[in-house]
Amino acid sequence: MTQLTKSSLKFTLISECNVSNARTGVMNLTHYNVETPVFMPVGTQGTLKGILPDQLEQIDCQIILANAYHLGVRPGPDLLKKAGGLHKFMNWNRALLTDSGGFQMVSLLKLAKITEKGVKFKSPYGADDCMLTPEESIRIQNAIGADIIMQLDDVIATNITGSRVEESTFRTSRWLDRCLVAHERPHDQAIFPIVQGAIDERLRLISTQLHMEKDVKGYALGGLSGGESKNIFWKMVLLSSKILPKEKPRYVMGVGFALDIVICCALGIDMFDCVFPTRTARFGCALIPSGQINLKLNKYKFDFQPIDNECKCSTCKRYTRAYLHSIIPMQAVACHLLTIHNLYFQISLMRSIRESIKRNMFPQFVKEFISKVYSHRPVSKWVTEALKAVNINLEVV
Amino acid sequence: MRFRLQTINNICGRLGIINEIERLPTFQMETPNLLFYTNGGCIPHLTHDVILMLTSDVLPLQIPLDNIYHATEAIIKLDVSVNTFIGLPEYLSFCTLQDPTTTVKQGYHKENVATIWSKHGKQFITKARHMELMESLKPDMYISLCDGDTNINSSKKRILNSARTTNEAFRYCYDQHVSSPTLCKKALIAPIEGGYDLTTRELCAKYLSNFPVVGYLIDGLYSDGASVHKIPFHSVEKIIDHTLKYIPVERLRIIQGAWEPQSILKMIKLGVDLFDTSFPCLNAENGCALVFNFNVENLFSENVQLVNLYHSKNENNIWKKELNNKNEYKSNSCVSNRDNKLNENNKISDGVQFKNNVNDEQNNTSKKNFVSPYSISLYDTKYFDDFTPIIENCLCLTCRKHTKAYVHHLLITKELLGMVLLMIHNLHHYMEFFRYIREHLRRNIGKCD
């Protein structure tokens, strides 16, 4: 039977929330079966900020993200090919996703010039001008060999309006076609298109529809974590997720705050990534159910409790706030301990979401979660509205 | 704590056992062995879950007071031991005074106090303050207050002052130690000063040998922790040998610092029991992986060479000659990051200008230059596409699971995991080196006696 031939991505829905759009499933990828909804920690340069692959497995991390732009510069696609791909190079045996590099072009390189051909930029490591085309991005991502790869998209800043938005939306679709043609490993690497259209409902809709015509295994929503109003953010997410096919995974790029993740899950999103949990760890901050605490503050100097009494991570089992306070920022160990805790926090959150959907308790989970986050202040309007749009009514007890 | 000598072997060195720690009744450690260097209470770069991937042994930690001093306020207020505070209660703790890997600033002396440099700058520790701190930290072993600010260039006057301050402080600390219900169950280690002056060493050793302490620390041999491996053994040989003559043979002897492995072997032969992990840590800090071969017959013979596995024998000798000839090597010494930060602090607080620059670029260059005959620098671009482990057949996690190309990539991209992998390998290699030393001693007991 032809269905038995190995596919780069097979998505199976296990359970759907009977109130909201939330769902839980399994993505069978080339290297690992990933449970969704899933948070993907960011390991930009082929390493997750001081954490060993063994430690990531210990905290049940199933998929991590790497960056084609950074890896394309160092160590470069040729070396990664020689190493047998990034999995072997960094010795990570579970799933990997690579970002195409479009976002980095815009966020890191102010001098990037975008033309129909691709993104022209000055290399930060040399004087030469470089050109990242859709074809080159896919060539690099084929060399890296991640389970899921992303198309190169024409990323624009969220505050841009007018014809540039339209151009970026349609160019992204044209680049998608070029990426699909250039993709040499469709049998073991699933490519995701990226929906663009800034905060223009009409363009978002067109972009989503254009991408739905393509033969792809899943979809990403891009350009949505750049500081736009939350009131608009959730509407843009729902607009796409409502019409995207149920049987394929949906990924909102750059979303990582616990609250945003829970809302997006309710809106029907399956995958998330963000540097936030690992970056905030490097700044001495630890995630807790009600938000985060900054352990650099003097009030933790004599606080001899773990970061979170309920947390079962290796950091909380052994180390106290007072000790962490004493070694931040002098010791790299402080950063490792907070990174482990924060990743454990995100991964546990995702597990709770999946469990609650399976047990048909997702709306209750959301209400409890919201009451913890907003224990000392009224619930934000956008949260109430977004949840209401998917039939979770916070006002009804 | 109890130290028991198992053999005295005049040709090879001695085997001993440390046990009966009041707090850790099941702890047992054979000597010669290592204390694990800590900074701020942690083994640099290694969280406890990663230490477990390195070894399941109960590790003896070396906790220098200067780099944990900033936390003493919290330790006192919370009324917990240093082990509890740092989250490693099952490990043994040995509280020392100065971080063995950094540079002791010279010339800061005051009558009857020791000067240490903490995260918050210069601190004067009186003997009474020292004992108050030990009473609070409750380490399993600790040294009495000492002034170890001597090196090969120290004047006779400086040496005598250091010896007098240290011996007087010891007398005070000893009295406090025996009368304190907490501390009398801990192990007091007596520091022996005297710089490079045989007479003063003899006087100090003789004086301290009158007190029933568990062991001795031979202190005051160097000022710059980052370049200890360049001190030729012959310049300290007589000092150590002479000092050891005057202390009871059955007691523990400790030397700190990043001495080169060849010197370590010779110190073991002279009868030193405990060392520390400064050498593997400093190598890792500079992007270097230990690759010396210790698996040799006649480990303690006069002309034994610990060959770098990456060099042929000839290259190794040529390299050594070059090392001895290069004077600039000394001035180009590497300073750990912590040191740089300290210097930066000093500049602000005291207006004193130190030689070492905080300049990142310079720091990087010096890292690339830190190559010893015992290691390879993984900053070296020749490892860019080398998909083999640091040492073939090495059983450490780094060598079992990762390649030189990967570690090189991590160093070049300044990723934190590079240091983690190098620390795992270097500590593993160094622990294996000591395991081999003990086995070798055991095998050769009969032969040498």
Side-chain angles (χ1 to χ4, degrees):
Chain A
M1 271 159 55
T2 48
Q3 276 154 328
L4 282 179
T5 53
K6 200 163 164 24
S7 156
S8 58
L9 187 155
K10 186 172 148 270
F11 183 57
T12 315
L13 278 179
I14 293 171
S15 216
E16 289 173 82
C17 173
N18 52 10
V19 177
S20 69
N21 295 358
R23 66 247 198 95
T24 175
V26 178
M27 269 194 305
N28 300 116
L29 299 171
T30 303
H31 290 86
Y32 205 70
N33 299 335
V34 175
E35 298 167 285
T36 65
V38 66
F39 174 79
M40 307 180 284
V42 181
T44 308
Q45 315 207 71
T47 158
L48 213 140
K49 299 301 164 202
I51 306 299
L52 291 162
D54 290 55
Q55 290 174 284
L56 290 173
E57 287 192 14
Q58 278 173 8
I59 58 171
D60 194 31
C61 178
Q62 304 182 358
I63 178 169
I64 60 172
L65 191 141
N67 200 286
Y69 164 71
H70 288 96
L71 290 169
V73 179
R74 292 184 306 192
D78 296 338
L79 185 84
L80 287 165
K81 220 170 187 169
K82 217 168 145 186
L86 181 59
H87 280 96
K88 286 199 177 136
F89 184 61
M90 66 180 289
N91 195 26
W92 169 245
N93 303 317
R94 297 187 173 184
L96 268 171
L97 179 147
T98 41
D99 190 5
S100 60
F103 181 72
Q104 277 65 38
M105 297 287 121
V106 179
S107 66
L108 296 179
L109 310 161
K110 289 188 182 107
L111 295 172
K113 256 215 170 88
I114 302 171
T115 63
E116 189 59 28
K117 200 175 165 207
V119 188
K120 200 170 145 185
F121 62 94
K122 264 204 158 45
S123 164
Y125 307 104
D128 300 343
D129 272 353
C130 302
M131 173 67 105
L132 186 71
T133 60
E135 291 78 12
E136 177 63 8
S137 169
I138 299 300
R139 188 181 79 86
I140 295 170
Q141 295 190 76
N142 282 163
I144 295 171
D147 301 77
I148 300 173
I149 66 174
M150 305 304 295
Q151 78 154 114
L152 184 70
D153 52 346
D154 181 4
V155 182
I156 51 170
T158 33
N159 54 2
I160 287 178
T161 51
S163 64
R164 179 70 185 96
V165 180
E166 187 139 350
E167 184 188 45
S168 126
T169 309
F170 290 103
R171 182 177 283 154
T172 296
S173 291
R174 290 194 294 275
W175 283 4
L176 171 61
D177 290 332
R178 286 166 59 188
C179 287
L180 290 172
V181 172
H183 187 18
E184 284 182 357
R185 300 174 60 178
H187 56 284
D188 64 352
Q189 291 186 285
I191 184 168
F192 280 23
I194 302 172
V195 171
Q196 286 293 349
I199 52 173
D200 184 318
E201 289 188 22
R202 182 183 66 91
L203 290 172
R204 281 253 161 214
L205 194 61
I206 295 172
S207 183
T208 313
Q209 285 164 340
L210 280 173
H211 291 174
M212 282 164 63
E213 291 166 13
K214 307 296 174 191
D215 178 23
V216 290
K217 303 267 167 52
Y219 305 90
L221 311 182
L224 280 179
S225 50
E228 71 283 351
S229 147
K230 291 285 181 200
N231 293 309
I232 297 166
F233 162 79
W234 74 264
K235 284 179 189 144
M236 295 297 135
V237 173
L238 185 59
L239 182 151
S240 294
S241 80
K242 246 185 350 201
I243 60 166
L244 283 168
K246 242 186 178 178
E247 66 282 5
K248 290 181 185 177
R250 306 146 182 175
Y251 162 30
V252 179
M253 303 179 81
V255 166
F257 294 127
L259 177 64
D260 300 0
I261 288 177
V262 171
I263 303 293
C264 285
C265 283
L267 301 174
I269 300 302
D270 309 296
M271 299 161 70
F272 305 89
D273 83 278
C274 192
V275 292
F276 167 68
T278 41
R279 178 172 292 168
T280 203
R282 292 203 294 288
F283 295 140
C285 294
L287 302 178
I288 54 168
S290 57
Q292 60 171 322
I293 56 171
N294 181 350
L295 288 162
K296 286 193 303 260
L297 297 178
N298 260 332
K299 66 172 170 178
Y300 298 112
K301 194 170 182 180
F302 307 117
D303 188 344
F304 210 60
Q305 320 170 59
I307 295 166
D308 178 0
N309 271 311
E310 311 280 301
C311 181
K312 305 251 184 314
C313 81
S314 56
T315 301
C316 287
K317 271 192 221 154
R318 182 170 281 273
Y319 297 95
T320 60
R321 294 171 173 190
Y323 181 58
L324 290 164
H325 173 88
S326 81
I327 55 170
I328 296 170
M330 300 289 272
Q331 295 298 320
V333 165
C335 171
H336 303 331
L337 291 171
L338 288 176
T339 304
I340 285 284
H341 169 81
N342 287 357
L343 290 178
Y344 188 90
F345 176 88
Q346 294 288 108
I347 287 165
S348 305
L349 172 72
M350 302 317 289
R351 192 183 299 117
S352 310
I353 292 172
R354 292 195 299 266
E355 290 307 312
S356 75
I357 300 171
K358 281 180 203 161
R359 288 185 287 115
N360 232 331
M361 305 277 280
F362 183 69
Q364 286 89 326
F365 170 85
V366 173
K367 284 177 190 172
E368 271 170 42
F369 175 85
I370 299 291
S371 72
K372 267 186 210 159
V373 175
Y374 289 100
S375 58
H376 300 299
R377 56 198 168 119
V379 179
S380 305
K381 196 174 130 228
W382 77 273
V383 172
T384 315
E385 282 180 4
L387 290 172
K388 207 171 183 178
V390 288
N391 310 315
I392 299 177
N393 200 336
L394 289 179
E395 274 131 34
V396 180
V397 185
Chain B
M1 193 188 106
R2 188 168 159 211
F3 173 70
R4 225 163 353 128
L5 204 55
Q6 296 191 299
T7 61
I8 309 166
N9 185 327
N10 289 332
I11 299 157
C12 300
R14 40 196 248 163
L15 280 165
I17 285 184
I18 292 173
N19 57 13
E20 293 178 29
I21 311 285
E22 178 226 359
R23 204 174 55 83
L24 309 163
T26 56
F27 177 88
Q28 178 147 313
M29 176 170 72
E30 291 181 297
T31 61
N33 217 319
L34 289 165
L35 297 159
F36 283 71
Y37 165 71
T38 65
N39 192 341
C42 51
I43 296 176
H45 306 284
L46 304 186
T47 56
H48 181 257
D49 55 332
V50 176
I51 296 173
L52 288 181
M53 295 179 196
L54 170 73
T55 174
S56 56
D57 293 355
V58 173
L59 301 179
L61 305 175
Q62 172 194 52
I63 302 178
L65 186 62
D66 58 356
N67 72 35
I68 192 99
Y69 187 81
H70 62 275
T72 52
E73 190 191 348
I75 293 173
I76 293 165
K77 186 156 180 197
L78 293 165
D79 192 20
V80 292
S81 71
V82 66
N83 284 87
T84 308
F85 183 76
I86 64 176
L88 300 170
E90 64 274 67
Y91 288 175
L92 180 136
S93 55
F94 174 34
C95 198
T96 62
L97 197 64
Q98 309 274 8
D99 185 320
T101 68
T102 57
T103 304
V104 176
K105 315 287 179 304
Q106 289 170 262
Y108 290 89
H109 308 290
K110 262 178 130 185
E111 198 73 18
N112 290 324
V113 296
T115 312
I116 61 168
W117 303 84
S118 86
K119 192 173 157 183
H120 303 309
K122 190 163 57 181
Q123 311 289 340
F124 297 116
I125 312 287
T126 63
K127 48 199 178 187
R129 171 82 177 135
H130 184 73
M131 291 310 278
E132 270 168 36
L133 286 169
M134 291 308 122
E135 191 91 29
S136 302
L137 298 180
K138 303 176 193 67
D140 302 301
M141 299 164 71
Y142 69 101
I143 57 169
S144 62
L145 191 74
C146 56
D147 169 359
D149 181 8
T150 51
N151 57 37
I152 196 156
N153 301 317
S154 296
S155 66
K156 179 92 185 193
K157 188 178 160 209
R158 173 84 279 271
I159 290 171
L160 288 173
N161 279 337
S162 122
R164 196 189 56 238
T165 304
T166 304
N167 290 350
E168 279 176 19
F170 174 80
R171 179 71 239 207
Y172 173 86
C173 295
Y174 178 79
D175 290 342
Q176 294 292 308
H177 175 85
V178 290
S179 60
S180 156
T182 314
L183 292 176
C184 69
K185 295 177 210 141
K186 310 290 184 188
L188 176 64
I189 302 296
I192 307 176
E193 303 295 348
Y196 286 72
D197 183 69
L198 291 177
T199 325
T200 317
R201 285 278 171 193
E202 183 179 327
L203 285 172
C204 289
K206 275 182 178 163
Y207 172 70
L208 295 167
S209 68
N210 296 323
F211 298 87
V213 290
V214 175
Y216 298 90
L217 172 75
I218 302 182
D219 197 35
L221 291 170
Y222 65 86
S223 306
D224 178 20
S227 62
V228 178
H229 65 285
K230 291 174 208 151
I231 301 175
F233 178 71
H234 62 78
S235 68
V236 290
E237 182 174 13
K238 264 194 194 143
I239 305 298
I240 296 169
D241 195 28
H242 196 71
T243 308
L244 292 177
K245 272 185 203 149
Y246 300 98
I247 56 175
V249 71
E250 71 282 1
R251 294 188 196 164
L252 184 65
R253 294 105 173 250
I254 308 167
I255 286 186
Q256 305 190 97
W259 302 91
E260 63 165 333
Q262 203 96 20
S263 301
I264 295 282
L265 287 176
K266 289 175 179 151
M267 290 182 191
I268 287 173
K269 212 168 148 182
L270 290 180
V272 180
D273 306 298
L274 265 185
F275 303 87
D276 66 33
T277 58
S278 307
F279 188 72
C281 292
L282 278 172
N283 270 276
E285 221 50 80
N286 289 287
C288 292
L290 295 181
V291 292
F292 62 94
N293 178 29
F294 50 76
N295 204 339
V296 288
E297 288 295 313
N298 309 320
L299 197 56
F300 293 99
S301 76
E302 208 45 62
N303 48 9
V304 70
Q305 278 283 322
L306 298 177
V307 179
N308 185 315
L309 293 165
Y310 280 68
H311 297 165
S312 71
K313 238 185 179 158
N314 270 342
E315 270 179 57
N316 215 37
N317 291 334
I318 292 165
W319 203 97
K320 273 220 131 171
K321 261 181 215 159
E322 264 180 34
L323 179 68
N324 292 335
N325 291 339
K326 268 186 188 168
N327 281 335
E328 85 260 4
Y329 202 89
K330 264 211 155 146
S331 58
N332 200 10
S333 73
C334 306
V335 188
S336 71
N337 284 337
R338 184 179 164 275
D339 220 18
N340 276 338
K341 274 181 197 144
L342 272 181
N343 289 340
E344 205 175 12
N345 279 346
N346 299 335
K347 269 182 219 159
I348 299 159
S349 58
D350 295 349
V352 183
Q353 198 68 37
F354 284 94
K355 268 178 273 170
N356 301 315
N357 236 321
V358 205
N359 190 322
D360 194 41
E361 206 171 296
Q362 187 189 329
N363 202 15
N364 247 344
T365 334
S366 69
K367 273 184 185 182
K368 279 163 203 161
N369 289 342
F370 184 99
V371 183
S372 76
Y374 301 93
S375 61
I376 52 168
S377 167
L378 285 162
Y379 279 104
D380 196 325
T381 46
K382 71 179 168 205
Y383 301 118
F384 173 72
D385 58 353
D386 187 336
F387 299 116
T388 60
I390 293 164
I391 298 178
E392 213 75 59
N393 304 324
C394 173
L395 293 176
C396 81
L397 180 140
T398 304
C399 290
R400 277 187 290 116
K401 303 199 169 191
H402 297 285
T403 64
K404 290 196 281 290
Y406 186 52
V407 179
H408 172 75
H409 166 73
L410 294 172
L411 294 184
I412 293 297
T413 52
K414 299 196 174 87
E415 285 283 354
L416 295 170
L417 191 62
M419 284 301 139
V420 175
L421 291 176
L422 281 175
M423 278 294 286
I424 292 174
H425 171 78
N426 284 358
L427 287 178
H428 174 88
H429 193 77
Y430 216 60
M431 287 164 79
E432 287 301 306
F433 173 46
F434 271 76
R435 195 191 309 278
Y436 187 81
I437 289 170
R438 288 190 300 273
E439 258 172 41
H440 193 92
L441 289 176
R442 250 191 305 272
R443 267 203 317 270
N444 290 293
I445 286 167
K447 289 181 206 165
C448 293
D449 279 352

